[in-house]
Amino acid sequence: MTPGRFKIGVAKQWALAAAVAMAMPLLAHAQSADPHRWQLNMDRGVTPTSHAAYDAHMITLWICVVIGVIVFGAMAIAMFKFRKSKGAVADTEFTHSTKLEVLWTALPILILVGLAFPATSGLMRMYDTRDAAMTVKVTGFQWMWKYDYLGEGVEFTSRLDRKSDEIRQSGVDARTANHPHYLLDVDNQLVLPINTKIRFVLTADDVIHAWWVPALGWKQDAIPGIVNEAWAEIQEPGIYRGQCAELCGKDHGFMPIVVRAVSKDEYASWLAAEKAKRAPAEPVPAPAVEAAPEAPMADDVAAPAAADAAPQTEQPAATVAAAG
């Protein structure tokens, strides 16, 4: 291979690598809300919190891409253009320059300070649970979640769906079981309204769990004896899945979470139906009793009895004398 062709081939390889690196952030915009196989980047999510985290992540990624291109580009130029075989001589003034030392020490500090502003702003907003329209209490158990809509009188548990449980205990290869949401589906979904600020209070009954739905943009520990807070304002209807993110025990992998985000009207209908199911049954009115026959008066009953009980009266005296 001639030196000219070698240079062209190396240049093409570097150009291809740079194009792939630059295209990765663009590919990230095509991600869906739920993670999927061979996903290249994190999801954008469906809440302001997840958007803030995603934006901070993308800014950092772009800065890393630019730094990588500059650093590895400079290394490539130094290796192929200024190598010893070409008669290059080391520039001691460049490699031991005080100005350059100050420059590449100050630049990373400035970059970190610049990244701290959006990250801090996002964290402060993430923990601001004021002005929430509703509150949902989440309690972790081994191995299920309990949801309590505070103030509404609606609560239920959410467990791994029966089909997933049967597949995992049957010993068959789950890839052949035709269950698209194997270990990611539940019997009772957490139903929430969109465009509503929802406050979550999280705790646990036995061991430490962690409630995590990636599309919501946060993960919060559920610790026995401690109540943690978080909030979400879901902006798009849909099904969003997650799992317990704490190694809580042998069945840790079988604690999925499914959130169903619906419109406000649909949520109101669902809540009314749940309240109706849990309302105490109304008492059934007793059947009318037919009037009993009138009981005889006490005097009427006593009179014949008294008559029967009266002793025989003596005969008159005149009648007795005539007979004698």
Side-chain angles (χ1 to χ4, degrees):
M1 180 180 294
T2 63
R5 289 184 177 179
F6 177 75
K7 290 181 180 179
I8 294 174
V10 171
K12 287 182 178 179
Q13 292 177 0
W14 278 100
L16 179 61
V20 172
M22 300 295 283
M24 287 184 64
L26 298 178
L27 292 174
H29 291 283
Q31 306 300 333
S32 61
D34 284 333
H36 55 83
R37 293 170 64 86
W38 303 107
Q39 183 170 324
L40 295 177
N41 201 354
M42 64 181 291
D43 291 319
R44 182 172 175 78
V46 292
T47 64
T49 304
S50 66
H51 294 171
Y54 180 82
D55 293 340
H57 161 73
M58 294 307 298
I59 292 172
T60 306
L61 178 60
W62 277 113
I63 292 175
C64 291
V65 169
V66 172
I67 292 175
V69 170
I70 293 174
V71 171
F72 288 103
M75 289 176 61
I77 293 173
M79 285 188 296
F80 294 104
K81 187 174 182 180
F82 300 101
R83 59 179 184 267
K84 189 176 180 180
S85 61
K86 288 192 171 184
V89 179
D91 186 354
T92 54
E93 294 183 359
F94 177 80
T95 55
H96 295 83
S97 172
T98 303
K99 292 181 181 179
L100 288 177
E101 293 284 351
V102 172
L103 181 63
W104 59 51
T105 302
L107 272 179
I109 295 175
L110 293 175
I111 292 173
L112 291 176
V113 172
L115 292 175
F117 282 100
T120 305
S121 175
L123 283 176
M124 292 177 64
R125 189 179 181 186
M126 184 182 297
Y127 287 98
D128 185 4
T129 60
R130 295 173 295 179
D131 303 327
M134 58 180 287
T135 301
V136 176
K137 180 183 177 183
V138 180
T139 306
F141 292 86
Q142 288 179 325
W143 318 96
M144 63 181 178
W145 300 98
K146 181 183 177 184
Y147 301 118
D148 185 356
Y149 293 73
L150 297 184
E152 301 292 350
V154 174
E155 63 179 33
F156 55 85
T157 58
S158 182
R159 303 169 184 263
L160 180 70
D161 69 306
R162 183 175 296 276
K163 185 175 180 181
S164 292
D165 198 37
E166 291 175 353
I167 292 172
R168 79 180 184 91
Q169 297 193 50
S170 65
V172 302
D173 189 342
R175 291 171 294 185
T176 63
N178 192 26
H179 190 354
H181 298 119
Y182 174 63
L183 299 184
L184 292 175
D185 214 350
V186 297
D187 55 356
N188 293 312
Q189 300 174 346
L190 176 63
V191 180
L192 298 174
I194 62 172
N195 299 323
T196 303
K197 186 171 183 177
I198 305 164
R199 173 173 169 257
F200 293 86
V201 290
L202 302 102
T203 187
D205 182 73
D206 35 45
V207 299
I208 299 177
H209 303 274
W211 201 82
W212 181 42
V213 177
L216 302 188
W218 50 267
K219 175 177 74 69
Q220 188 60 272
D221 287 342
I223 305 172
I226 295 177
V227 177
N228 287 327
E229 286 186 310
W231 69 275
E233 184 176 343
I234 303 172
Q235 298 175 334
E236 299 175 16
I239 302 293
Y240 306 110
R241 303 178 189 277
Q243 289 176 298
C244 176
E246 190 71 41
L247 189 57
C248 56
K250 69 180 183 62
D251 283 352
H252 153 76
F254 310 124
M255 292 182 65
I257 302 164
V258 180
V259 174
R260 179 158 61 94
V262 298
S263 66
K264 291 183 179 181
D265 292 339
E266 190 174 350
Y267 171 75
S269 300
W270 174 86
L271 187 62
E274 291 296 317
K275 286 182 177 180
K277 286 195 300 186
R278 290 164 175 75
E282 296 183 359
V284 179
V289 179
E290 295 182 359
E294 187 177 354
M297 297 297 291
D299 294 343
D300 296 341
V301 175
D308 295 341
Q312 293 288 330
T313 57
E314 296 181 354
Q315 294 181 351
T319 306
V320 173

